[in-house]
Amino acid sequence: MDKGRMKCWDQDSQAVSVHLPRIMIAAEKSGGGKTLFTCALLSLLKERVQAVRAIKCGPDYIDPMFHRTVLEIPSRNLDSFFADGDTLRYLLGREVLEMKKIPESRIAVLEGVMGFYDGLGGVSERSSAWEVADLTDTPVILLVDMKGRSLSALASIKGFLDYKEKSHVTGVVFNRLSPMLYPGLKERAERELGIRVFGYVPELKDLTLKSRHLGLVMPEEILGIRERLDLIKEKVRVGINLDGIIEEAGRAAEIEVKLPGAVRQFCNVDCGTGIKKTVVAVAKDEAFCFYYEDNLDILRKLGAEIQYFSPIHDRNLPEGTCAVYLGGGYPELHAKALSGNISMRNAIRQAMMEEVPCIAECGGYLYLKDSIVDPDGVEWPMAGVLPGSSRDTGKLGRFGYITVTSKKEGLLGPAGIEFRAHEFHHWDSEENGTDFAAKKPVGTRGWDCGYTTESFYAGFPHLYFYSNVKIAENFIKCAETWKKKNLVVK
Protein backbone atom coordinates (compact mmCIF):
# COMPACT_ATOMS: atom_id res chain seq x y z
CA MET A 1 0.00 0.00 0.00
CA ASP A 2 1.13 3.56 -0.67
CA LYS A 3 2.32 5.36 2.43
CA GLY A 4 0.76 8.57 3.62
CA ARG A 5 -2.72 7.30 4.41
CA MET A 6 -4.66 7.51 7.62
CA LYS A 7 -7.25 5.32 9.20
CA CYS A 8 -10.71 5.77 7.69
CA TRP A 9 -12.13 6.33 11.15
CA ASP A 10 -10.06 7.51 14.08
CA GLN A 11 -12.09 5.70 16.72
CA ASP A 12 -10.56 2.83 18.65
CA SER A 13 -12.30 -0.46 19.31
CA GLN A 14 -14.64 1.11 21.90
CA ALA A 15 -18.27 1.42 20.81
CA VAL A 16 -19.67 4.87 20.03
CA SER A 17 -23.37 5.73 20.26
CA VAL A 18 -24.93 7.06 17.07
CA HIS A 19 -28.36 8.70 16.78
CA LEU A 20 -30.02 7.64 13.52
CA PRO A 21 -33.82 7.67 13.28
CA ARG A 22 -34.79 4.60 11.27
CA ILE A 23 -37.61 2.27 10.34
CA MET A 24 -37.82 -1.04 8.50
CA ILE A 25 -40.61 -1.86 6.05
CA ALA A 26 -41.23 -5.61 6.18
CA ALA A 27 -43.93 -7.90 4.79
CA GLU A 28 -45.53 -11.25 5.45
CA LYS A 29 -44.13 -12.75 2.25
CA SER A 30 -42.31 -12.03 -0.99
CA GLY A 31 -44.42 -10.04 -3.41
CA GLY A 32 -46.10 -8.19 -0.56
CA GLY A 33 -45.51 -4.73 -2.04
CA LYS A 34 -42.43 -3.73 0.00
CA THR A 35 -40.51 -2.02 -2.80
CA LEU A 36 -43.47 -0.06 -4.12
CA PHE A 37 -44.42 1.18 -0.65
CA THR A 38 -40.80 1.88 0.32
CA CYS A 39 -40.30 4.02 -2.78
CA ALA A 40 -43.46 5.98 -2.05
CA LEU A 41 -42.40 6.47 1.57
CA LEU A 42 -38.91 7.63 0.55
CA SER A 43 -40.42 10.14 -1.83
CA LEU A 44 -42.77 11.50 0.83
CA LEU A 45 -39.98 11.69 3.40
CA LYS A 46 -37.84 13.72 0.97
CA GLU A 47 -40.41 16.49 1.33
CA ARG A 48 -40.01 16.58 5.10
CA VAL A 49 -36.52 15.39 6.06
CA GLN A 50 -33.18 16.81 4.94
CA ALA A 51 -31.25 13.54 4.75
CA VAL A 52 -33.18 10.43 3.71
CA ARG A 53 -31.21 7.22 3.31
CA ALA A 54 -32.38 3.93 1.82
CA ILE A 55 -31.10 0.45 2.68
CA LYS A 56 -32.07 -2.97 1.33
CA CYS A 57 -31.88 -6.00 3.57
CA GLY A 58 -30.37 -9.00 1.84
CA PRO A 59 -28.34 -9.39 -1.36
CA ASP A 60 -30.74 -7.85 -3.89
CA TYR A 61 -29.33 -5.43 -6.47
CA ILE A 62 -32.48 -4.22 -8.21
CA ASP A 63 -34.56 -2.87 -5.32
CA PRO A 64 -31.75 -0.42 -4.41
CA MET A 65 -31.90 0.85 -8.01
CA PHE A 66 -35.50 1.91 -7.37
CA HIS A 67 -34.45 3.56 -4.10
CA ARG A 68 -31.76 5.43 -6.00
CA THR A 69 -34.24 6.53 -8.66
CA VAL A 70 -36.29 8.18 -5.91
CA LEU A 71 -33.50 9.66 -3.79
CA GLU A 72 -30.94 10.28 -6.55
CA ILE A 73 -28.20 8.98 -4.25
CA PRO A 74 -26.98 5.39 -3.82
CA SER A 75 -28.92 2.90 -1.74
CA ARG A 76 -27.00 0.29 0.22
CA ASN A 77 -27.42 -3.28 1.44
CA LEU A 78 -27.38 -4.78 4.93
CA ASP A 79 -27.06 -8.55 4.91
CA SER A 80 -26.52 -10.60 8.06
CA PHE A 81 -25.15 -13.59 6.14
CA PHE A 82 -22.47 -11.46 4.55
CA ALA A 83 -21.51 -9.56 7.71
CA ASP A 84 -21.63 -9.95 11.50
CA GLY A 85 -23.49 -7.66 13.88
CA ASP A 86 -20.59 -5.27 14.52
CA THR A 87 -20.08 -4.80 10.79
CA LEU A 88 -23.81 -4.29 10.16
CA ARG A 89 -24.04 -1.63 12.85
CA TYR A 90 -20.90 0.04 11.50
CA LEU A 91 -22.29 0.09 7.95
CA LEU A 92 -25.60 1.50 9.21
CA GLY A 93 -24.16 4.17 11.49
CA ARG A 94 -20.86 5.09 9.89
CA GLU A 95 -22.15 8.02 7.82
CA VAL A 96 -23.08 9.90 10.97
CA LEU A 97 -19.59 9.34 12.38
CA GLU A 98 -17.39 9.52 9.29
CA MET A 99 -19.06 12.13 7.12
CA LYS A 100 -20.00 14.52 9.92
CA LYS A 101 -22.09 16.33 7.31
CA ILE A 102 -25.34 14.40 7.59
CA PRO A 103 -27.81 16.87 9.17
CA GLU A 104 -29.74 16.32 12.36
CA SER A 105 -32.89 16.11 10.24
CA ARG A 106 -32.27 12.58 9.00
CA ILE A 107 -33.92 9.21 8.64
CA ALA A 108 -32.99 5.78 7.27
CA VAL A 109 -35.57 3.48 5.69
CA LEU A 110 -34.68 -0.21 5.55
CA GLU A 111 -36.59 -2.40 3.11
CA GLY A 112 -36.93 -6.01 4.26
CA VAL A 113 -36.31 -9.15 2.25
CA MET A 114 -38.82 -11.94 1.50
CA GLY A 115 -41.16 -12.62 4.42
CA PHE A 116 -40.08 -10.99 7.67
CA TYR A 117 -38.82 -14.18 9.35
CA ASP A 118 -37.70 -16.02 6.17
CA GLY A 119 -34.00 -16.85 6.30
CA LEU A 120 -31.41 -19.43 5.29
CA GLY A 121 -32.65 -22.51 3.50
CA GLY A 122 -36.27 -21.70 4.27
CA VAL A 123 -35.82 -23.31 7.69
CA SER A 124 -34.07 -20.61 9.67
CA GLU A 125 -34.54 -16.97 10.64
CA ARG A 126 -30.80 -16.45 10.14
CA SER A 127 -30.13 -13.81 7.47
CA SER A 128 -33.77 -12.74 7.54
CA ALA A 129 -35.12 -9.20 7.71
CA TRP A 130 -35.97 -9.95 11.35
CA GLU A 131 -32.31 -10.75 12.11
CA VAL A 132 -31.18 -7.44 10.59
CA ALA A 133 -33.81 -5.62 12.67
CA ASP A 134 -32.67 -7.50 15.77
CA LEU A 135 -28.94 -6.86 15.25
CA THR A 136 -29.52 -3.16 14.56
CA ASP A 137 -32.43 -2.65 17.00
CA THR A 138 -34.58 -1.15 14.25
CA PRO A 139 -38.36 -0.62 14.67
CA VAL A 140 -40.40 -2.45 12.04
CA ILE A 141 -43.59 -1.55 10.21
CA LEU A 142 -45.27 -4.66 8.85
CA LEU A 143 -46.96 -4.19 5.48
CA VAL A 144 -50.03 -6.44 5.65
CA ASP A 145 -51.65 -7.59 2.41
CA MET A 146 -55.42 -7.27 2.83
CA LYS A 147 -56.46 -8.62 -0.57
CA GLY A 148 -59.21 -11.19 0.00
CA ARG A 149 -59.45 -10.83 3.79
CA SER A 150 -60.34 -8.46 6.60
CA LEU A 151 -60.34 -9.46 10.31
CA SER A 152 -58.34 -12.58 9.53
CA ALA A 153 -55.39 -10.27 8.96
CA LEU A 154 -55.36 -9.44 12.69
CA ALA A 155 -54.67 -13.09 13.47
CA SER A 156 -51.73 -12.98 11.08
CA ILE A 157 -50.41 -9.79 12.69
CA LYS A 158 -50.72 -11.35 16.14
CA GLY A 159 -48.68 -14.30 14.92
CA PHE A 160 -45.89 -12.02 13.71
CA LEU A 161 -45.91 -10.16 17.03
CA ASP A 162 -45.79 -13.34 19.12
CA TYR A 163 -43.48 -15.53 17.02
CA LYS A 164 -40.37 -13.97 18.58
CA GLU A 165 -40.21 -12.58 22.09
CA LYS A 166 -38.72 -9.42 20.59
CA SER A 167 -40.32 -9.08 17.17
CA HIS A 168 -39.38 -5.40 16.75
CA VAL A 169 -42.72 -4.93 14.97
CA THR A 170 -44.10 -1.65 16.35
CA GLY A 171 -46.67 -0.84 13.70
CA VAL A 172 -48.53 -1.95 10.60
CA VAL A 173 -49.75 -0.53 7.31
CA PHE A 174 -52.65 -2.25 5.57
CA ASN A 175 -51.89 -2.83 1.88
CA ARG A 176 -54.53 -3.19 -0.85
CA LEU A 177 -57.34 -2.16 1.49
CA SER A 178 -60.60 -0.37 0.74
CA PRO A 179 -60.72 3.04 2.45
CA MET A 180 -64.19 2.18 3.79
CA LEU A 181 -62.86 -0.79 5.77
CA TYR A 182 -59.87 1.06 7.21
CA PRO A 183 -61.34 2.89 10.23
CA GLY A 184 -62.88 -0.25 11.76
CA LEU A 185 -59.80 -2.41 11.18
CA LYS A 186 -57.51 0.27 12.59
CA GLU A 187 -59.60 0.59 15.74
CA ARG A 188 -59.70 -3.16 16.37
CA ALA A 189 -56.00 -3.72 15.61
CA GLU A 190 -54.90 -0.98 17.99
CA ARG A 191 -57.35 -1.99 20.73
CA GLU A 192 -56.93 -5.76 20.53
CA LEU A 193 -53.26 -6.05 19.54
CA GLY A 194 -51.82 -2.94 21.16
CA ILE A 195 -50.01 -1.97 17.97
CA ARG A 196 -49.96 1.32 16.08
CA VAL A 197 -51.62 1.41 12.67
CA PHE A 198 -49.91 3.92 10.38
CA GLY A 199 -52.41 3.85 7.58
CA TYR A 200 -53.45 1.98 4.48
CA VAL A 201 -52.56 1.74 0.80
CA PRO A 202 -55.44 1.30 -1.65
CA GLU A 203 -55.14 -1.24 -4.44
CA LEU A 204 -52.95 0.43 -7.06
CA LYS A 205 -54.27 -1.01 -10.29
CA ASP A 206 -52.01 -0.52 -13.32
CA LEU A 207 -49.28 0.95 -11.09
CA THR A 208 -47.46 -2.25 -10.20
CA LEU A 209 -43.77 -2.81 -11.01
CA LYS A 210 -42.97 -5.45 -13.61
CA SER A 211 -40.89 -8.53 -12.79
CA ARG A 212 -38.27 -10.65 -14.55
CA HIS A 213 -36.50 -13.89 -13.67
CA LEU A 214 -34.14 -12.02 -11.31
CA GLY A 215 -36.91 -10.01 -9.64
CA LEU A 216 -38.17 -6.60 -10.72
CA VAL A 217 -37.11 -5.19 -14.04
CA MET A 218 -34.66 -2.33 -13.66
CA PRO A 219 -36.15 1.17 -13.30
CA GLU A 220 -34.38 2.40 -16.45
CA GLU A 221 -36.39 -0.14 -18.45
CA ILE A 222 -39.78 1.18 -17.31
CA LEU A 223 -41.11 3.92 -19.55
CA GLY A 224 -41.97 7.00 -17.49
CA ILE A 225 -40.72 5.45 -14.24
CA ARG A 226 -40.44 8.78 -12.41
CA GLU A 227 -43.97 9.80 -13.36
CA ARG A 228 -45.22 6.38 -12.28
CA LEU A 229 -43.46 6.65 -8.93
CA ASP A 230 -44.95 10.13 -8.45
CA LEU A 231 -48.43 8.74 -9.08
CA ILE A 232 -47.82 5.97 -6.57
CA LYS A 233 -46.58 8.52 -4.03
CA GLU A 234 -49.77 10.57 -4.31
CA LYS A 235 -51.96 7.46 -3.98
CA VAL A 236 -50.05 6.44 -0.84
CA ARG A 237 -49.97 9.95 0.64
CA VAL A 238 -53.74 9.99 1.15
CA GLY A 239 -53.86 6.96 3.42
CA ILE A 240 -50.78 6.99 5.63
CA ASN A 241 -49.79 8.83 8.79
CA LEU A 242 -46.41 10.20 7.75
CA ASP A 243 -46.00 12.17 10.98
CA GLY A 244 -46.54 8.97 12.94
CA ILE A 245 -43.95 7.07 10.89
CA ILE A 246 -41.38 9.83 11.39
CA GLU A 247 -42.15 9.85 15.10
CA GLU A 248 -41.76 6.05 15.31
CA ALA A 249 -38.44 6.18 13.47
CA GLY A 250 -37.26 8.83 15.93
CA ARG A 251 -37.89 6.44 18.82
CA ALA A 252 -35.26 4.02 17.53
CA ALA A 253 -32.52 3.39 20.06
CA GLU A 254 -29.06 4.78 19.47
CA ILE A 255 -26.80 2.43 17.52
CA GLU A 256 -23.72 1.22 19.35
CA VAL A 257 -21.14 1.39 16.56
CA LYS A 258 -17.87 -0.44 17.02
CA LEU A 259 -15.37 -0.35 14.17
CA PRO A 260 -14.77 -4.01 13.19
CA GLY A 261 -11.19 -5.11 13.64
CA ALA A 262 -10.83 -6.15 10.00
CA VAL A 263 -12.03 -2.75 8.83
CA ARG A 264 -9.78 -0.93 11.30
CA GLN A 265 -6.78 -2.91 10.04
CA PHE A 266 -7.33 -2.65 6.30
CA CYS A 267 -9.68 0.26 5.55
CA ASN A 268 -7.53 3.30 4.72
CA VAL A 269 -8.18 6.50 2.83
CA ASP A 270 -5.98 8.88 0.91
CA CYS A 271 -4.94 11.68 3.26
CA GLY A 272 -4.21 14.32 0.66
CA THR A 273 -0.50 13.69 -0.02
CA GLY A 274 -0.95 14.19 -3.76
CA ILE A 275 -0.26 10.54 -4.57
CA LYS A 276 -2.05 9.60 -7.79
CA LYS A 277 -4.77 7.07 -7.06
CA THR A 278 -5.02 3.65 -8.64
CA VAL A 279 -7.66 3.62 -11.39
CA VAL A 280 -10.15 0.75 -11.19
CA ALA A 281 -12.26 0.60 -14.36
CA VAL A 282 -15.79 -0.50 -13.42
CA ALA A 283 -18.14 -1.68 -16.18
CA LYS A 284 -21.46 0.12 -15.85
CA ASP A 285 -24.18 0.33 -18.48
CA GLU A 286 -27.36 -1.47 -19.54
CA ALA A 287 -25.60 -4.85 -19.42
CA PHE A 288 -23.51 -4.43 -16.25
CA CYS A 289 -25.18 -2.77 -13.29
CA PHE A 290 -25.09 -5.13 -10.28
CA TYR A 291 -22.68 -3.68 -7.72
CA TYR A 292 -22.82 -3.32 -3.98
CA GLU A 293 -22.17 0.32 -3.18
CA ASP A 294 -20.18 -0.80 -0.14
CA ASN A 295 -17.85 -2.82 -2.40
CA LEU A 296 -17.06 0.32 -4.38
CA ASP A 297 -16.68 2.34 -1.19
CA ILE A 298 -14.13 0.00 0.29
CA LEU A 299 -12.10 0.09 -2.93
CA ARG A 300 -12.07 3.88 -2.65
CA LYS A 301 -11.02 3.68 0.99
CA LEU A 302 -8.16 1.44 -0.07
CA GLY A 303 -6.91 4.05 -2.52
CA ALA A 304 -8.78 3.32 -5.74
CA GLU A 305 -10.23 5.88 -8.10
CA ILE A 306 -13.38 4.40 -9.61
CA GLN A 307 -13.84 5.21 -13.29
CA TYR A 308 -16.92 3.83 -15.01
CA PHE A 309 -16.92 2.59 -18.59
CA SER A 310 -19.41 0.93 -20.90
CA PRO A 311 -18.58 -2.36 -22.66
CA ILE A 312 -21.51 -1.55 -24.98
CA HIS A 313 -20.77 2.08 -25.89
CA ASP A 314 -17.09 2.84 -25.19
CA ARG A 315 -14.28 1.84 -27.53
CA ASN A 316 -11.58 1.35 -24.92
CA LEU A 317 -10.86 1.15 -21.20
CA PRO A 318 -10.40 4.42 -19.27
CA GLU A 319 -6.98 6.01 -19.52
CA GLY A 320 -4.64 4.85 -16.76
CA THR A 321 -6.62 1.70 -15.95
CA CYS A 322 -4.77 -0.43 -13.39
CA ALA A 323 -7.56 -2.92 -12.65
CA VAL A 324 -10.91 -3.96 -14.10
CA TYR A 325 -14.13 -4.81 -12.25
CA LEU A 326 -16.81 -6.51 -14.36
CA GLY A 327 -19.93 -6.82 -12.25
CA GLY A 328 -23.16 -8.70 -12.80
CA GLY A 329 -26.16 -7.69 -14.84
CA TYR A 330 -27.86 -8.79 -18.04
CA PRO A 331 -25.23 -9.34 -20.75
CA GLU A 332 -27.50 -11.99 -22.27
CA LEU A 333 -30.09 -9.31 -23.07
CA HIS A 334 -27.47 -7.11 -24.75
CA ALA A 335 -25.34 -9.84 -26.33
CA LYS A 336 -25.63 -8.42 -29.87
CA ALA A 337 -24.47 -4.94 -28.79
CA LEU A 338 -21.64 -6.33 -26.65
CA SER A 339 -20.50 -8.59 -29.46
CA GLY A 340 -20.66 -5.74 -31.97
CA ASN A 341 -18.25 -3.63 -29.92
CA ILE A 342 -15.18 -5.46 -31.22
CA SER A 343 -12.85 -2.68 -30.08
CA MET A 344 -13.87 -3.12 -26.44
CA ARG A 345 -13.76 -6.92 -26.63
CA ASN A 346 -10.22 -6.67 -27.96
CA ALA A 347 -9.26 -4.13 -25.28
CA ILE A 348 -10.53 -6.40 -22.50
CA ARG A 349 -8.78 -9.43 -23.94
CA GLN A 350 -5.54 -7.43 -24.32
CA ALA A 351 -5.78 -6.20 -20.73
CA MET A 352 -6.13 -9.78 -19.48
CA MET A 353 -3.12 -10.84 -21.58
CA GLU A 354 -1.15 -8.02 -19.93
CA GLU A 355 -2.27 -9.33 -16.52
CA VAL A 356 -4.23 -6.23 -15.56
CA PRO A 357 -5.92 -7.35 -12.30
CA CYS A 358 -9.54 -8.26 -12.91
CA ILE A 359 -12.59 -9.32 -10.90
CA ALA A 360 -15.47 -10.63 -13.03
CA GLU A 361 -18.71 -11.70 -11.34
CA CYS A 362 -21.63 -13.54 -12.91
CA GLY A 363 -22.58 -11.39 -15.93
CA GLY A 364 -19.03 -10.03 -16.11
CA TYR A 365 -17.76 -13.61 -16.04
CA LEU A 366 -20.07 -14.56 -18.92
CA TYR A 367 -18.76 -11.61 -20.94
CA LEU A 368 -15.23 -13.01 -20.65
CA LYS A 369 -16.24 -16.36 -22.15
CA ASP A 370 -16.11 -17.29 -25.83
CA SER A 371 -19.79 -16.58 -26.46
CA ILE A 372 -23.28 -16.01 -25.05
CA VAL A 373 -26.50 -17.44 -26.47
CA ASP A 374 -29.20 -14.78 -26.27
CA PRO A 375 -32.88 -15.40 -25.35
CA ASP A 376 -33.68 -15.99 -29.04
CA GLY A 377 -31.08 -18.76 -29.29
CA VAL A 378 -28.55 -16.70 -31.29
CA GLU A 379 -24.91 -17.21 -30.25
CA TRP A 380 -22.76 -14.07 -30.07
CA PRO A 381 -18.94 -13.90 -29.69
CA MET A 382 -17.72 -12.34 -26.44
CA ALA A 383 -14.26 -11.40 -25.13
CA GLY A 384 -12.80 -14.90 -25.53
CA VAL A 385 -10.71 -14.82 -22.34
CA LEU A 386 -12.32 -17.98 -20.92
CA PRO A 387 -13.56 -21.10 -22.69
CA GLY A 388 -17.13 -22.07 -23.39
CA SER A 389 -20.52 -20.50 -23.97
CA SER A 390 -23.56 -19.83 -21.79
CA ARG A 391 -27.27 -20.21 -22.40
CA ASP A 392 -30.62 -19.97 -20.63
CA THR A 393 -31.38 -22.99 -18.44
CA GLY A 394 -34.97 -21.89 -17.83
CA LYS A 395 -34.48 -21.78 -14.07
CA LEU A 396 -32.32 -20.23 -11.37
CA GLY A 397 -29.03 -22.10 -11.05
CA ARG A 398 -27.36 -22.78 -7.69
CA PHE A 399 -29.50 -20.00 -6.27
CA GLY A 400 -28.63 -18.40 -2.94
CA TYR A 401 -25.94 -17.81 -0.38
CA ILE A 402 -22.62 -19.64 -0.39
CA THR A 403 -19.36 -19.67 1.50
CA VAL A 404 -16.47 -19.76 -0.97
CA THR A 405 -12.99 -21.11 -0.21
CA SER A 406 -10.04 -20.72 -2.57
CA LYS A 407 -8.29 -23.98 -3.47
CA LYS A 408 -5.19 -22.20 -4.80
CA GLU A 409 -3.36 -18.93 -4.38
CA GLY A 410 -4.66 -16.16 -6.59
CA LEU A 411 -5.79 -12.56 -6.89
CA LEU A 412 -8.10 -12.69 -3.88
CA GLY A 413 -5.56 -14.27 -1.55
CA PRO A 414 -3.79 -17.48 -0.58
CA ALA A 415 -5.20 -20.97 -0.80
CA GLY A 416 -7.77 -21.37 1.96
CA ILE A 417 -8.97 -17.78 2.02
CA GLU A 418 -12.72 -17.73 2.64
CA PHE A 419 -15.46 -15.22 1.87
CA ARG A 420 -19.25 -15.01 1.60
CA ALA A 421 -21.04 -14.68 -1.72
CA HIS A 422 -24.23 -15.57 -3.56
CA GLU A 423 -25.30 -16.93 -6.93
CA PHE A 424 -28.40 -15.78 -8.79
CA HIS A 425 -28.57 -16.54 -12.51
CA HIS A 426 -30.61 -18.22 -15.25
CA TRP A 427 -27.76 -18.46 -17.77
CA ASP A 428 -25.22 -21.21 -17.16
CA SER A 429 -22.20 -22.82 -18.74
CA GLU A 430 -20.70 -26.30 -18.76
CA GLU A 431 -17.26 -24.88 -17.91
CA ASN A 432 -17.34 -22.85 -14.70
CA GLY A 433 -13.89 -23.46 -13.24
CA THR A 434 -12.60 -25.51 -10.33
CA ASP A 435 -10.32 -23.12 -8.43
CA PHE A 436 -12.78 -22.50 -5.58
CA ALA A 437 -15.06 -24.64 -3.43
CA ALA A 438 -18.56 -23.30 -2.78
CA LYS A 439 -20.73 -24.60 0.06
CA LYS A 440 -24.34 -23.83 0.95
CA PRO A 441 -24.83 -22.53 4.52
CA VAL A 442 -27.58 -25.06 5.23
CA GLY A 443 -27.17 -28.74 4.37
CA THR A 444 -24.22 -30.46 2.72
CA ARG A 445 -24.49 -29.28 -0.88
CA GLY A 446 -21.36 -27.87 -2.47
CA TRP A 447 -19.57 -27.58 -5.81
CA ASP A 448 -16.40 -26.33 -7.45
CA CYS A 449 -16.46 -23.00 -9.22
CA GLY A 450 -14.44 -20.09 -10.54
CA TYR A 451 -11.09 -19.32 -12.10
CA THR A 452 -8.14 -17.54 -10.53
CA THR A 453 -4.56 -16.58 -11.27
CA GLU A 454 -2.29 -14.08 -9.53
CA SER A 455 -4.10 -11.29 -11.36
CA PHE A 456 -7.52 -12.72 -12.12
CA TYR A 457 -10.79 -13.86 -10.53
CA ALA A 458 -13.85 -14.88 -12.54
CA GLY A 459 -16.90 -16.92 -11.66
CA PHE A 460 -20.63 -16.90 -11.00
CA PRO A 461 -20.40 -15.96 -7.28
CA HIS A 462 -21.12 -12.30 -6.50
CA LEU A 463 -18.57 -11.18 -3.90
CA TYR A 464 -19.25 -9.05 -0.85
CA PHE A 465 -15.98 -7.44 0.23
CA TYR A 466 -16.98 -6.74 3.83
CA SER A 467 -17.36 -10.49 4.41
CA ASN A 468 -13.55 -10.58 4.22
CA VAL A 469 -11.94 -7.21 3.48
CA LYS A 470 -8.63 -8.93 2.71
CA ILE A 471 -9.95 -9.87 -0.74
CA ALA A 472 -10.50 -6.18 -1.53
CA GLU A 473 -7.09 -5.29 -0.13
CA ASN A 474 -5.40 -8.01 -2.17
CA PHE A 475 -7.15 -6.75 -5.32
CA ILE A 476 -5.95 -3.18 -4.79
CA LYS A 477 -2.43 -4.31 -3.81
CA CYS A 478 -2.22 -6.22 -7.07
CA ALA A 479 -3.47 -3.17 -8.99
CA GLU A 480 -0.87 -0.94 -7.33
CA THR A 481 1.88 -3.42 -8.13
CA TRP A 482 0.76 -3.56 -11.77
CA LYS A 483 0.70 0.26 -11.92
CA LYS A 484 4.27 0.53 -10.65
CA LYS A 485 5.50 -1.99 -13.20
CA ASN A 486 3.58 -0.77 -16.22
CA LEU A 487 2.63 2.90 -15.91
CA VAL A 488 4.77 6.00 -15.70
CA VAL A 489 3.28 8.08 -12.90
CA LYS A 490 3.68 11.77 -13.63
Side-chain angles (χ1 to χ4, degrees), residues 157-437:
I157 296 168
K158 181 173 174 54
F160 275 86
L161 292 171
D162 293 346
Y163 184 68
K164 287 288 184 183
E165 183 177 351
K166 193 170 185 181
S167 73
H168 300 279
V169 176
T170 61
V172 298
V173 168
F174 295 124
N175 192 26
R176 301 204 296 175
L177 179 67
S178 165
M180 291 185 295
L181 292 177
Y182 175 66
L185 284 172
K186 170 181 164 64
E187 189 276 328
R188 290 199 62 167
E190 292 185 334
R191 173 168 51 85
E192 297 176 12
L193 303 179
I195 192 168
R196 297 185 74 183
V197 178
F198 292 106
Y200 71 95
V201 179
E203 186 163 14
L204 302 176
K205 293 181 179 179
D206 302 321
L207 287 177
T208 56
L209 303 176
K210 296 180 181 178
S211 296
R212 181 188 280 132
H213 53 263
L214 295 186
L216 296 174
V217 301
M218 295 183 294
E220 293 82 2
E221 299 176 84
I222 301 174
L223 186 64
I225 180 59
R226 292 186 185 278
E227 292 78 7
R228 177 172 293 216
L229 290 173
D230 281 342
L231 283 172
I232 292 169
K233 175 183 71 172
E234 295 307 321
K235 295 282 188 181
V236 169
R237 183 196 299 274
V238 174
I240 69 164
N241 177 5
L242 189 62
D243 287 336
I245 292 173
I246 294 172
E247 178 188 5
E248 192 67 28
R251 292 176 177 174
E254 291 192 342
I255 309 167
E256 293 296 314
V257 178
K258 179 179 179 181
L259 188 67
V263 177
R264 186 166 54 253
Q265 184 176 354
F266 297 111
C267 178
N268 300 308
V269 293
D270 184 77
C271 66
T273 60
I275 297 172
K276 187 170 177 128
K277 291 190 174 184
T278 300
V279 174
V280 176
V282 177
K284 193 170 185 181
D285 58 16
E286 304 94 307
F288 303 101
C289 48
F290 292 171
Y291 295 98
Y292 293 122
E293 196 64 32
D294 287 323
N295 278 4
L296 301 177
D297 277 353
I298 200 169
L299 295 182
R300 294 185 184 100
K301 290 178 187 294
L302 289 164
E305 176 186 338
I306 302 298
Q307 290 197 16
Y308 295 109
F309 75 100
S310 169
I312 292 179
H313 305 292
D314 294 333
R315 310 308 295 171
N316 214 327
L317 290 166
E319 183 179 354
T321 291
C322 305
V324 177
Y325 190 0
L326 299 168
Y330 294 109
E332 67 274 15
L333 302 183
H334 304 277
K336 180 179 179 180
L338 289 167
S339 185
N341 192 348
I342 297 172
S343 176
M344 180 58 76
R345 289 197 285 125
N346 289 340
I348 292 288
R349 186 164 54 251
Q350 183 63 33
M352 299 305 98
M353 291 174 62
E354 294 175 1
E355 298 184 331
V356 174
C358 176
I359 288 177
E361 305 168 327
C362 201
Y365 158 61
L366 296 184
Y367 177 62
L368 293 182
K369 295 179 82 66
D370 287 330
S371 64
I372 291 178
V373 178
D374 72 14
D376 296 322
V378 180
E379 187 168 6
W380 300 95
M382 291 291 119
V385 176
L386 292 169
S389 184
S390 64
R391 63 183 65 244
D392 188 8
T393 64
K395 61 181 181 180
L396 285 171
R398 300 180 296 281
F399 165 64
Y401 292 120
I402 48 176
T403 298
V404 182
T405 305
S406 179
K407 295 162 63 178
K408 58 182 282 192
E409 184 174 1
L411 173 65
L412 303 182
I417 195 168
E418 183 178 288
F419 50 89
R420 303 286 178 92
H422 75 105
E423 289 197 27
F424 202 72
H425 51 92
H426 264 226
W427 263 244
D428 207 347
S429 173
E430 294 181 0
E431 307 90 352
N432 289 320
T434 59
D435 292 339
F436 297 84

Side-chain angles (χ1 to χ4, degrees), residues 453-470:
T453 67
E454 290 183 356
S455 62
F456 186 74
Y457 162 79
F460 272 117
H462 291 271
L463 313 181
Y464 186 75
F465 294 160
Y466 274 102
S467 73
N468 186 342
V469 296
K470 289 184 180 179

Side-chain angles (χ1 to χ4, degrees), residues 43-104:
S43 190
L44 291 168
L45 288 170
K46 274 180 63 178
E47 301 173 358
R48 300 278 299 278
V49 182
Q50 283 181 271
V52 183
R53 299 295 183 261
I55 296 159
K56 174 66 181 180
C57 300
D60 186 85
Y61 290 106
I62 297 177
D63 291 352
M65 294 181 187
F66 282 91
H67 301 166
R68 183 170 191 158
T69 300
V70 173
L71 296 182
E72 299 180 305
I73 57 173
S75 175
R76 300 176 185 277
N77 295 71
L78 284 182
D79 189 302
S80 55
F81 174 74
F82 287 155
D84 61 20
D86 280 346
T87 304
L88 287 182
R89 289 184 288 273
Y90 160 72
L91 293 173
L92 180 59
R94 68 186 163 176
E95 186 179 8
V96 180
L97 287 170
E98 292 179 2
M99 300 295 290
K100 303 191 184 302
K101 295 179 181 178
I102 184 169
E104 284 299 315

